[in-house]
Amino acid sequence: MRHCCGGLEARSYCLIYLPFTHFHLCMDSHKMYNQFHLFQNFFRRSNANLVLKQRLILGTTRFNSTNSKVPYDFPKRALITKTSPIISSSNNVDFTSFIDDISGDNRISVQDKSTKELVRSLIVYKLCSSQWLVNRAPSLLKFVEKANLSTFAYWVIRRTFFAHFCGGETAEQCKNIMNQLDKHGIKLILGLSVEADINENLETSSIRDLSNKEADDVTDSMLDCIEKAAAQPNNFIALKLTGLSNPTVLENWTSALNILSNSFDKFDKDKVDKLKRSDFLQLIRELFGDVKENVAKTLFEDVDKNKDGLINKFEFINALSIDSLNIRPLLINNKDLCFSQEDFEDYDKMMNRLKKLCEAARIKNVRLIVDAEQLHFQSAIDYIAIKLSKTYNQPDNKNGPVVFNTFQMYLKDSNERLIKNYNLSSLEQFVFAVKLVRGAYMYYERERAEKLGYPDPIHTTLDDTHESYNQAVKFLLNELSQIQKRSNKRLDISNSPIAFMIASHNKESVIMACKQMKTFDISPKSGLVLFGQLLGMRDQITYTLGKYGYGVYKYVAYGKINEVIPFLIRRVQENSSILGGIRGENQIIWREIKNRIFHRVPQA
């Protein structure tokens, strides 16, 4: 079943939009002016300040997080490739003008848009900022389907939400947007909106056959997507691993990783993220019964690389990896791990698809973002992203890392996992490339946690999430600064052990990051710190960053309308507070429209 919502939320919006669909067709300026005032009054009557009210529940255990309270020591990481000399001034941005522009109300984000596009933007923003509508979208859609209005609903959505947020139904149709954005110094993240969840209504064999067939089709589409993105250097492709595999495999491996993590924590009595050889042997016996002692000793020796008689959690996980053919019989024998031989076959097929995509991206100088998904898949996704990074993010790649993993900072354990993964990249000597997002599954995760009776994994308040996000940004910027100072060399994408994207619609977070970059002497054009926003959201931020030479991207979703809209509506749900707070941009749009009516500015 492609995506658990299956278009559930998206189509319901048409019911609200219907009274306004004729609006953009009115060409007479006096009629348009009257309708503008009608809409302006409608906009003013509702309260756009939305506050996320969240309850306090304890966090949940993830496979690579621990309860250790040992203080973190910044790794003394040496540069891992040759670098170029530092020049006197890395940041040539007129920072005062930049702050004025990103905080002001200039025309940079609207001047090239048609009046029709601007009117559509106002309507879409208003509907998305309605918490009532966002919360009730699924039930409204069910009504539409029961009333046999789906065809008409999609017709309306295609001309409103789809046209505003999406690039088209194919990668080829995204070319126009790619070229338009490039004129403003904005690059592209192309995202084929295909993902999957567990379908409990089908037999296991049917799920496997259907998932593998669809995953093969998605892989072919992604290869075409890479070809289109390669028209401009350093564009990104977004990958949903559930769309490239049988999602049952990801769920089972996530469950297994959590069990292994909890077992490690149980035997890590001193809470130092280390196991002695004797503890490891005892743990193996507890997990897998009467395993030959020489087998267990060999496992330990293989992962104890520095031969100090101790292994950390990552090394422990690698010792029992699903990738090891020798370990798979042990994983099957433990009934708690829920593995079958078919799972291993599906896992191998998924990895072959991913390797094919990574090779194509490397050759074409296109980067891949492994998107975050639901928690019951996420540990496996993190594991796979690390595995791919070890191969494709080697420090000798002059074009920089190929694979970026995604961290959802609304999770309570996100910063701890970020630091642990960074330390792993330092130990294993691969480039740590990540995308930071606030998160996109809050409603889903909270409902699932309540249903299954485990602690809410999401931060209690929106402010807590902001703090978590900004803390991660500051940590990575500080690491870049420290590495650059220790080496006395200019870091760029060809020689840095860190590269990351600040994927945020929050203006305060973006400004904070830019100020930190200036303080730490990190060049906006180095390619080490990138920014990203969704197409159709916070254009004032995106276009201003592009104007001043920062590496900035628009995430452009594409695909069939019933596959793209659920993806976008989920983003709308998670960003409803942001959409409710874009009064400044709405005012810019209103002023632009009225100025065009009275010929105060040229038409686009």
Side-chain angles (χ1 to χ4, degrees), residues 105 162 255 325 345 350 385 403 432 461 520 570 573 575 593:
D105 56 358
F162 186 86
S255 176
L325 298 181
E345 294 172 3
M350 175 186 63
V403 179
F432 186 64
T461 67
F520 290 149
R570 188 173 65 249
Q573 286 182 326
N575 289 282
I593 293 173

Side-chain angles (χ1 to χ4, degrees), residues 167-186:
E169 292 197 348
T170 66
E172 180 67 28
Q173 292 175 0
C174 297
K175 275 189 172 181
N176 288 337
I177 291 178
M178 184 190 304
N179 294 331
Q180 291 170 13
L181 293 174
D182 187 59
K183 294 176 183 178
H184 296 273
I186 303 167

Side-chain angles (χ1 to χ4, degrees), residues 231-292:
Q232 297 170 355
N234 299 320
N235 278 338
F236 280 89
I237 300 298
L239 300 180
K240 290 282 189 184
L241 295 198
T242 53
L244 292 165
S245 65
N246 173 4
T248 303
V249 176
L250 295 174
E251 184 177 53
N252 289 346
W253 184 224
T254 292
S255 176
L257 288 167
N258 289 335
I259 290 173
L260 295 176
S261 175
N262 292 337
S263 298
F264 182 97
D265 293 341
K266 176 182 175 181
F267 280 80
D268 180 21
K269 297 182 178 65
D270 296 328
K271 304 305 178 187
V272 293
D273 195 35
K274 295 286 185 180
L275 283 186
K276 295 184 293 186
R277 179 176 174 178
S278 58
D279 291 332
F280 175 81
L281 298 179
Q282 185 180 349
L283 175 51
I284 294 298
R285 284 194 293 269
E286 181 175 298
L287 284 171
F288 305 114
D290 187 20
V291 177
K292 291 183 179 179

Side-chain angles (χ1 to χ4, degrees), residues 230-434:
Q232 297 170 355
N234 299 320
N235 278 338
F236 280 89
I237 300 298
L239 300 180
K240 290 282 189 184
L241 295 198
T242 53
L244 292 165
S245 65
N246 173 4
T248 303
V249 176
L250 295 174
E251 184 177 53
N252 289 346
W253 184 224
T254 292
S255 176
L257 288 167
N258 289 335
I259 290 173
L260 295 176
S261 175
N262 292 337
S263 298
F264 182 97
D265 293 341
K266 176 182 175 181
F267 280 80
D268 180 21
K269 297 182 178 65
D270 296 328
K271 304 305 178 187
V272 293
D273 195 35
K274 295 286 185 180
L275 283 186
K276 295 184 293 186
R277 179 176 174 178
S278 58
D279 291 332
F280 175 81
L281 298 179
Q282 185 180 349
L283 175 51
I284 294 298
R285 284 194 293 269
E286 181 175 298
L287 284 171
F288 305 114
D290 187 20
V291 177
K292 291 183 179 179
E293 188 170 345
N294 62 330
V295 174
K297 288 180 179 179
T298 301
L299 290 176
F300 187 88
E301 291 170 359
D302 287 344
V303 294
D304 182 19
K305 295 182 179 179
N306 59 4
K307 305 305 177 185
D308 63 352
L310 298 170
I311 61 172
N312 61 31
K313 183 176 287 190
F314 280 111
E315 291 168 333
F316 173 71
I317 295 297
N318 286 335
L320 302 176
S321 169
I322 190 175
D323 293 289
S324 173
L325 298 181
N326 295 327
I327 294 300
R328 290 180 177 183
L330 297 180
L331 298 177
I332 290 178
N333 288 338
N334 187 321
K335 295 180 180 180
D336 292 335
L337 300 182
C338 303
F339 275 118
S340 67
Q341 185 60 40
E342 289 76 15
D343 287 332
F344 299 139
E345 294 172 3
D346 287 347
Y347 175 83
D348 291 338
K349 290 177 182 178
M350 175 186 63
M351 292 309 300
N352 287 334
R353 296 181 190 112
L354 287 169
K355 289 174 183 176
K356 185 185 297 186
L357 293 173
C358 287
E359 284 296 331
R362 182 184 60 80
I363 293 170
K364 296 291 184 178
N365 193 21
V366 173
R367 301 169 187 173
L368 304 178
I369 290 178
V370 179
D371 272 341
E373 303 192 50
Q374 297 97 322
L375 275 178
H376 60 282
F377 300 131
Q378 191 57 47
S379 292
I381 292 172
D382 287 342
Y383 171 87
I384 293 166
I386 291 171
K387 178 179 173 63
L388 295 174
S389 296
K390 290 179 180 179
T391 301
Y392 295 99
N393 291 2
Q394 288 300 305
D396 57 356
N397 185 358
K398 66 178 181 179
N399 294 322
V402 175
V403 179
F404 282 61
N405 194 16
T406 301
F407 282 81
Q408 300 187 101
M409 303 312 298
Y410 69 178
L411 296 173
K412 292 175 181 177
D413 68 345
S414 55
N415 270 286
E416 183 180 12
R417 291 189 301 108
L418 182 77
I419 291 172
K420 287 179 178 293
N421 279 260
Y422 173 68
N423 285 339
L424 177 68
S425 72
S426 180
L427 179 67
E428 300 284 345
Q429 289 290 284
F430 63 87
V431 178
F432 186 64
V434 295

Side-chain angles (χ1 to χ4, degrees), residues 64-121:
N64 50 3
S65 67
T66 70
N67 296 321
S68 173
K69 295 185 179 179
V70 176
Y72 168 70
D73 294 321
F74 284 96
K76 294 179 173 61
R77 184 167 187 165
L79 281 181
I80 45 185
T81 56
K82 185 178 179 181
T83 57
S84 53
I86 277 188
I87 55 178
S88 58
S89 177
S90 66
N91 195 337
N92 297 319
V93 171
D94 181 348
F95 205 71
T96 301
S97 297
F98 167 74
I99 295 298
D100 289 342
D101 281 354
I102 201 169
S103 303
D105 56 358
N106 56 70
R107 299 180 62 229
I108 188 170
S109 63
V110 296
Q111 59 189 3
D112 291 340
K113 295 182 180 179
S114 68
T115 303
K116 176 181 175 181
E117 289 175 317
L118 296 177
V119 171
R120 183 181 64 214
S121 296

Side-chain angles (χ1 to χ4, degrees), residues 196-262:
D197 204 346
I198 306 298
N199 190 335
E200 298 178 352
N201 297 320
L202 294 177
E203 295 292 333
T204 302
S205 59
S206 300
I207 293 174
R208 291 189 68 237
D209 293 342
L210 178 62
S211 296
N212 282 305
K213 181 181 183 304
E214 292 182 341
D216 287 337
D217 293 339
V218 169
T219 302
D220 291 339
S221 297
M222 295 302 298
L223 290 171
D224 177 64
C225 186
I226 290 172
E227 288 287 339
K228 299 298 186 297
Q232 297 170 355
N234 299 320
N235 278 338
F236 280 89
I237 300 298
L239 300 180
K240 290 282 189 184
L241 295 198
T242 53
L244 292 165
S245 65
N246 173 4
T248 303
V249 176
L250 295 174
E251 184 177 53
N252 289 346
W253 184 224
T254 292
S255 176
L257 288 167
N258 289 335
I259 290 173
L260 295 176
S261 175
N262 292 337

Side-chain angles (χ1 to χ4, degrees), residues 17-29 31-32 35-36 39 115-117 119-120 123 155 159-160:
Y17 181 79
L18 289 177
F20 311 126
T21 52
H22 72 287
F23 179 61
H24 67 273
L25 300 176
C26 180
M27 302 305 296
D28 182 84
S29 63
K31 292 181 181 178
M32 289 182 71
Q35 293 190 47
F36 288 143
F39 280 109
T115 303
K116 176 181 175 181
E117 289 175 317
V119 171
R120 183 181 64 214
I123 296 170
W155 183 89
R159 287 155 180 77
T160 54

